[in-house]
Amino acid sequence: MIDNWETFLIEGIYFLAAILFILGLKKMSSPVTARGGIIWAGVGMILATLATFLTPHLSNLDLIVIAIVLGATPAWWSAKKVAMANMPQMIALYNGMGGGAAAAIAGVELIRASSGHELSTTVQTLAVLGAIIGTISFSGSIIAFAKLQGLIKKSLLFNKQQIINLVLFIFLLVLGAVIVYMGSVPVIVIILFFMVALLFGVLVTIPIGGADMPVVISLFNALTGLAVAFEGFVLSNAAMIIAGTVVGAAGTLLTQLMARAMNRPISNVLFSGFGAADGQEATDDVGIEGSLKPIDATDAAIMMAYAEQVIIIPGYGMAVAQAQHKIWELTRALIDRGVRVKFAIHPVAGRMPGHMNVLLAEAGVPYDIIFDLEEINAEFEQSDVALVIGANDVVNPIARTDPNSPIYGMPILSADKAKNVVVIKRGKGTGFSGVENHLFYADNTRMLYGDGQKMAGELLQGVKEL
Amino acid sequence: MIEGLVALYIFMLAAVVGYEVIAKVPVILHTPLMSGSNFIHGIVLVGAMIALGHADTNLEKAIGFIGVMLATGNAVGGYFVTERMLEMFKSSKGDKK
């Protein structure tokens, strides 16, 4: 098996890289060692890449180097430049690239198989499976990116969508089976196969919206890992098999944790189409009592300054407005006045679990005043003010009461139980799910309209002037 | 060549490792961890290099070239996004989680 020193060296380095990946991931699961973790994994990646250049009979070296430079430059630039609030869609994008790369490997191997370099049935099956998964992850992630980036605004739904998806999926499997069974097929069949997989990825992702997006990105992340592992089998590459499988398993668990936090089975996320067409119309203004009552920043500041306990609920709006720094200043001003301030983070606040934590950490908010849903939900009743900044669906009491609502059953932060609720919001629109929020109409709720950062600044001003 | 059962063993053990690593992670690290695991499947670069490295026809070369480009994007972008995210945990103190 190991016939010369190059192979021995390469395999040894791949082994080392796999260990570095696992240890790196392990370190990344604790805040104290997290930074070291990514560096370990990075070293593993560089070693594995360099070792691959030693592969015997590796041709097209010039093309490989050019492709690496062309791929690395924009990725490096965009990863350095992008605002912290836009991180989730960047993860989706880079993840899609990985899926696309796995699919490309399958593409090369399958086309080679059709021109004489035949593969065993097992390997061919894995190549086809990896191709399906990788391609779906590729086009699906691109759609997820486009949606989070605001390039696609609506959750598109059309008639018989699920049936079309099902038919398409069966067609995809049949094409895959044909490729495996025939061993070598005309290139046009392989191209058709990839086209169908691309289309399927698009159609499956496009109806999904709202709070479900983090779950979907996490799922695609796991799928890419799996696709990489399958292509690793095809190329007999242990580093790819191990790293891909670890990511596949970790990603699957992470996806489950997220879906559980939303009280929605994964199948439901994928196949129901969040806020289905009829649901969206049905929820408009139905059963809403009361009216939207605006408040200005000075009054809200007074309310908070004389409170005993204030709970701040950040959401995606805070990320968009980059308001976390001002919010932390406001928090310190309130703490200086003797107000107890706590942050309540919903598991799916923002566009990813932990998204808010990352932003608050960026602003310097200490962990010990940040609480999870279960830890803090009982405390709202004893709180004088709940300040909702840019959060919407995660505080919508309709999730508790209306079985017809698309978000029914999702655990929510009980902001409505606080004595007063102040909602900072840019306009009167609905949340990402398109569901009207009854909290905003409640008697104890006041609306503070404006950009999150600007309003946080005005609140800070108001508190300081007292 | 990694053969059937050995491959299955590797697959199984790696899956257990992946599961265990995530099982006890605090919510604050979910996004960095997703980003970190996103970086780790950037190892697909190695496979894309091998695929391009033994591509013969122009079509194979073109697909392989795109594959290497995408894989590099995954690895490089994934690394720097994760690093930037984790940088924020540097100055924080009192992590009890």
Side-chain angles (χ1 to χ4, degrees):
Chain A
M1 192 167 111
I2 291 169
D3 43 12
N4 56 38
W5 69 271
E6 283 136 320
T7 318
F8 185 73
L9 185 64
I10 293 168
E11 293 299 329
I13 292 177
Y14 282 168
F15 182 67
L16 185 63
I19 291 175
L20 284 170
F21 287 153
I22 293 170
L23 290 180
L25 206 57
K26 181 76 199 156
K27 281 161 91 65
M28 268 187 262
S29 57
S30 152
V32 187
T33 54
R35 285 196 75 236
I38 183 68
I39 294 172
W40 283 43
V43 170
M45 189 69 73
I46 289 172
L47 286 178
T49 310
L50 291 179
T52 307
F53 277 107
L54 298 174
T55 308
H57 318 298
L58 195 73
S59 44
N60 301 323
L61 271 178
D62 47 346
L63 286 179
I64 293 178
V65 173
I66 295 171
I68 288 178
V69 172
L70 285 183
T73 317
W76 174 80
W77 186 81
S78 59
K80 282 279 180 191
K81 280 279 170 197
V82 69
M84 219 54 215
N86 295 332
M87 285 299 178
Q89 53 262 51
M90 295 318 287
I91 297 177
L93 189 63
Y94 301 136
N95 175 55
M97 289 176 164
I105 295 172
V108 172
E109 297 308 312
L110 291 176
I111 291 173
R112 272 166 60 85
S114 67
S115 61
H117 299 83
E118 279 178 27
L119 305 165
S120 76
T121 311
T122 317
V123 170
Q124 185 102 346
T125 310
L126 289 170
V128 165
L129 284 179
I132 294 176
I133 298 170
T135 311
I136 293 173
S137 172
F138 172 69
S139 58
S141 296
I142 302 288
I143 297 294
F145 165 79
K147 283 194 146 189
L148 291 178
Q149 191 71 21
L151 301 175
I152 301 175
K153 287 262 167 27
K154 283 279 169 201
S155 297
L156 295 176
L157 285 150
F158 48 86
N159 273 340
K160 311 268 186 281
Q161 189 161 17
Q162 301 198 24
I163 297 170
I164 293 173
N165 284 354
L166 184 67
V167 170
L168 208 59
F169 188 62
I170 292 170
F171 183 48
L172 183 60
L173 290 182
V174 168
L175 276 176
V178 166
I179 293 173
V180 172
Y181 184 72
M182 306 279 285
S184 77
V185 290
V187 171
I188 189 78
V189 177
I190 297 173
I191 293 175
L192 178 67
F193 166 72
F194 278 104
M195 288 297 157
V196 174
L198 275 176
L199 183 63
F200 182 73
V202 171
L203 288 183
V204 151
T205 318
I206 217 156
I208 301 169
D212 287 349
M213 216 33 122
V215 183
V216 173
I217 294 176
S218 174
L219 183 66
F220 283 143
N221 187 41
L223 286 180
T224 303
L226 207 56
V228 171
F230 284 168
E231 298 313 325
F233 283 116
V234 174
L235 299 170
S236 310
N237 185 303
M240 282 171 75
I241 302 176
I242 296 173
T245 312
V246 166
V247 173
T252 307
L253 180 59
L254 198 54
T255 311
Q256 279 172 346
L257 290 177
M258 280 183 225
R260 199 178 304 151
M262 293 163 56
N263 202 14
R264 279 160 68 76
I266 294 170
S267 59
N268 200 341
V269 170
L270 284 179
F271 302 119
S272 71
F274 196 82
D278 51 337
Q280 254 168 5
E281 282 160 37
T283 50
D284 276 358
D285 298 327
V286 173
I288 293 185
E289 288 166 17
S291 57
L292 294 166
K293 296 164 285 290
I295 188 173
D296 62 34
T298 326
D299 291 340
I302 292 171
M303 200 193 274
M304 290 167 69
Y306 291 101
E308 248 176 61
Q309 172 156 301
V310 173
I311 297 180
I312 300 177
I313 304 167
Y316 189 60
M318 181 185 83
V320 174
Q322 289 288 304
Q324 61 271 29
H325 299 280
K326 280 275 180 258
I327 288 288
W328 174 227
E329 277 186 58
L330 171 66
T331 306
R332 274 180 303 180
L334 288 171
I335 291 173
D336 287 345
R337 291 185 58 92
V339 182
R340 259 199 322 281
V341 185
K342 294 180 175 176
F343 285 85
I345 313 275
H346 190 277
V348 294
R351 292 290 180 268
M352 286 203 165
H355 190 192
M356 292 300 120
N357 304 77
V358 169
L359 292 177
L360 293 178
E362 183 194 13
V365 180
Y367 296 137
D368 48 8
I369 62 169
I370 301 177
F371 297 90
D372 293 342
L373 182 119
E374 297 87 25
E375 294 173 314
I376 201 154
N377 242 355
E379 291 202 31
F380 279 103
E381 282 173 43
Q382 297 116 46
S383 300
D384 303 287
V385 181
L387 177 68
V388 179
I389 170 155
N392 192 336
D393 295 330
V394 298
V395 292
N396 194 344
I398 201 173
R400 282 199 300 252
T401 54
D402 182 1
N404 295 322
S405 165
I407 60 172
Y408 179 70
M410 177 171 93
I412 56 156
L413 287 163
S414 313
D416 55 327
K417 303 256 172 80
K419 294 189 188 93
N420 297 285
V421 183
V422 176
V423 179
I424 300 180
K425 203 169 178 304
R426 254 181 314 179
K428 293 181 180 164
T430 56
F432 207 73
S433 69
V435 181
E436 201 64 60
N437 195 333
H438 290 229
L439 173 69
F440 300 166
Y441 297 85
D443 288 337
N444 56 344
T445 301
R446 295 292 177 273
M447 304 298 289
L448 184 54
Y449 289 115
D451 171 73
Q453 187 172 340
K454 189 157 160 283
M455 285 305 125
E458 286 184 20
L459 284 175
L460 176 66
Q461 199 64 32
V463 171
K464 279 189 172 160
E465 278 170 7
L466 287 172
Chain B
M1 182 69 203
I2 299 165
E3 282 303 336
L5 267 185
V6 179
L8 201 61
Y9 284 139
I10 299 179
F11 189 76
M12 206 179 66
L13 291 174
V16 171
V17 168
Y19 196 87
E20 279 299 311
V21 162
I22 295 269
K24 295 159 225 126
V25 72
V27 176
I28 51 163
L29 282 167
H30 276 177
T31 297
L33 207 55
M34 187 199 296
S35 181
S37 57
N38 178 40
F39 162 68
I40 286 173
H41 66 52
I43 189 68
V44 69
L45 172 59
V46 165
M49 285 168 68
I50 295 170
L52 177 54
H54 64 206
D56 299 321
T57 66
N58 281 338
L59 178 62
E60 289 166 23
K61 283 182 192 169
I63 297 172
F65 188 83
I66 294 171
V68 173
M69 252 175 70
L70 289 175
T72 315
N74 181 183
V76 173
Y79 181 85
F80 286 107
V81 165
T82 312
E83 196 202 27
R84 273 184 63 191
M85 232 181 260
L86 291 176
E87 202 134 298
M88 293 164 196
F89 292 94
K90 188 170 49 178
S91 57
S92 59
K93 41 189 187 291
D95 342 314
K96 285 166 295 185
K97 292 198 173 178

